[in-house]
Amino acid sequence: MVSLSVSNLSKSFGINEVLRDVSFTLQVGDHAGVVGANGCGKSTMMRILADQMSYNGGTISMAKGIKIGYLEQQDMIQAGGTIWSELESVFEPVFLMEERLHSLEKEMENGHQDEQYFLELSNKYDRLLTEYEDAGGYSWKSMIIGVLNGLGFAQEQYELPVESLSGGERTRFFLARLLLTKPDLLMLDEPTNHLDMTAMSWLENYLASYKGTVLVISHDRYFLDHVCNTIIEIVSGRSEQYKGNYTEFMKQRVQRFETRMRTYELQQKEILRQEAIIARFRMYNREKSIRAAESREKALARMERVEKPTEDASIKFQFSPRRRTGEVVVNVEDLSKSFDQKTLFEHFTLHVRAGERIAIIGPNGIGKTTFIRILAGEELPNSGKIEFGSNIDLGYYDQHQSSLHPDKTVLDEIWDRFPTMEQSDVRGALGMFLFTGDDVFQKIKTLSGGEKGRVSLTALMLKKDNVLLLDEPTNHLDMDSREVLEDALANFSGTIITVSHDRYFINRIADRIIEMSPDGIREYLGNYDDYIEKKNAPKEEVTTSSGKTRTMIDKEKKRESLNKKEIKRLKSELSEAESAVLLAEEELHRLEEQLANPDLYQDAAKALEVQKSYQDVQKKLEKLYETWEKAEAALSQNE
C-alpha cells in the first residue's frame, strides 16, 4: 500500500529554482533516506511535505487518514512545562480512554440486570480496552522513560522546565516527543545532530523496528545504512530513488552513471553515422537520394536525444609519505591531563606500530582532541611519557582549522607553506580540492567550514608525512568528499591516529578502537562494527592466573597470529633465496667448466659470450647472497 507519492514537485524562490522535478513513491513501512549536497533542497522538500511551505508545481498524494509527524517548533511547548509533563501530555487521548473505561465499568455494574444493555456495554468496553492497550495504556510510563534514557536524558532531568534546556537538549526533547506520538509517516531532518554515539545507536535500533513509514534527511552514512531500505538523492533539483541502504545506493549510483554514459555515447555514434549517410545522399544530388536524405533528417529530428550525464566535481587526491617509519611509531606511557582541577584522563597508555589505523572515540569533553593535540605537540601533558620512533614525520589535521590565517588568500596560505613550489603546481594541488580559477584568491575568513577543511587537506597532502593525526577529519565535508578522503586514507601506507564520531568513517579506516570514558581507557581490536559486537557480548571475568582482560588476550593472540604469519613468510623467503643461490652456483660451475675448455677459444665470439654470462651470473649470485643473509637475519629476530 502506498504511503506517500510525490510527482514532478517543483519549488522556486524568486528566480532561484531549488526543486524542479522531484518524484518518488514510498510504501507503508518503507524507511527512506534523503541525501544530496548542502543547499540542494532536501529540507525545503521536507517542509513542503509537512505542509509548512507552499510549492509551485507537481502533486503530492498521501494515504487516506495518514498521521504525519514532523519536529514541532519551540513555541509549541507550554510555559513552565517540564520534560516529563510535556511528554506525558502526548498520552492525553490514553488518559481520556482510561476515564471512559472507568465510566463503562460503573455503567456495567448498574446495568447487569438488563442483559441486552449489559452485552452492548461489554462490547463497547472490549473494543475500547483493545484500543487503550494498543495506544500504550499500560506501558506509557515505561515508553517515556525508555525514549528519554535512549536519547541521553538522566532521571534527574525529568522535572526540568523545557524552557531551561540548551539548544541541543531541546532538539532531543522534541525528537523524544515526536517518537512517542508514533505517526504513520515520521519525517526527520538530521535527527542524529546533538546525539552521542550511544543515543545514535539507540535511535537506529528504534527506527529500524519502526512499523510506520520513515523519511529522514541525514549526512550520517552509518545511520542511513542501518535504518533505510531506500535512498532518495536530490541532484540539481531532480530526484532519483534507489532500493537498498546507503552502501547499496553508492554502488547503484556508479552503475547508473556508467549505463547512462554508454547509452549517450552509443546514441552519439548513431547520430554521427546518420549524419554521414545524409551527407553522402545529398552529395549524389539526385531526386531519390535527396528524398532519402530528407527522410533520414526527419527521423533524426524526431529522435529523443539522451542528455549527457554529468557528474558533480569531486576532490581527487592521495596521501604519499616521502619515507618509511621504523617499526615502532609511538609509545605513550601513563599519560594524564587536567584543566582547572578537572582531570580529563589519566593512566593513558598506548603503543602504536607502523601501519596501524587507530580511532579514538568517547563522549564530548572526555579529552579526545586534547590527547591528539598532545601527540601533535600542541599541548603538554601533566604527567606521563611520549616516545616517538625513528623517521617519524607527523601530519596534524585540526578540526577547528586554527592554523589557517584568516586574512590570507587560499593560494597564499598553501604557497607560503611550500615556497619552493611553482605557482602552477600549488594551483594544481588546490585544483584537486576543487579550488579552481579565481577561487584561489578568496580569503580564508570568507570560506565555509568545508572549504577550510579542504585547504587543510591540501596542505596535509603536500607535506607527505608518514604519521597522520586527524581530529574529526570528516566534519563539514559532503558525503562524496568523505568517500574520497576514506579512499585516500585506505591506500595510505603510513600510520593513522584519528578522533572521529563518524562511524562509517571509523568502519572503513580503523583496525583498532580506543574508547575513552569516565571509567578509563579500553582497547578493542577491529573496526566500529567489531567494537559494537564486543561491547554487546556477555562480559567475561578477568583471567585470575594472568590478570589480563579478554581484550588484552585477543590483542596478544592477534599479534601472535601476525608473528606466525610473518615467520612463515620469512621462512618461505629464506627457502626461495637458498634455492636461487644453489641454482646460480650450479650455473656458475657449468660456465667455469666451459671457460676451462681450450676448445672454447677457437670461436672468439662464443668465448666472449660465455665470459659475459659468467660475469652476469657472478653479479647475480652476489645479490642473491645479500637477499639470503637479510632473510636469515630477519628470521632470527622474529623467532
Side-chain angles (χ1 to χ4, degrees), residues 144-170:
I144 292 176
I145 292 171
V147 169
L148 284 174
N149 288 347
L151 292 177
F153 286 99
Q155 188 171 352
E156 54 267 25
Q157 294 178 286
Y158 291 179
E159 297 304 323
L160 288 176
V162 176
E163 293 172 330
S164 70
L165 300 180
S166 67
E169 289 170 335
R170 283 196 178 203

Side-chain angles (χ1 to χ4, degrees), residues 610-627:
V610 173
Q611 282 180 336
K612 187 176 183 307
S613 297
Y614 181 82
Q615 291 169 355
D616 290 341
V617 174
Q618 273 188 319
K619 291 177 183 177
K620 179 182 176 182
L621 191 57
E622 287 174 5
K623 290 182 180 179
L624 289 172
Y625 275 127
E626 286 179 12
T627 304

Side-chain angles (χ1 to χ4, degrees), residues 50 92 148 216 218 241 301 310 385 428 438 470 500 601:
E92 283 294 340
L148 284 174
V216 57
S218 181
Q241 187 169 4
T310 57
K385 183 173 63 173
D438 290 341
L470 309 174
S500 181
Y601 300 97

Side-chain angles (χ1 to χ4, degrees), residues 256-270 306-307 309:
R256 282 193 190 185
F257 178 82
E258 291 173 348
T259 300
R260 286 173 178 166
M261 184 59 79
R262 282 197 299 270
T263 303
Y264 169 78
E265 289 171 348
L266 287 172
Q267 188 185 65
Q268 290 300 304
K269 286 182 181 178
E270 177 61 17
V306 176
E307 189 176 341

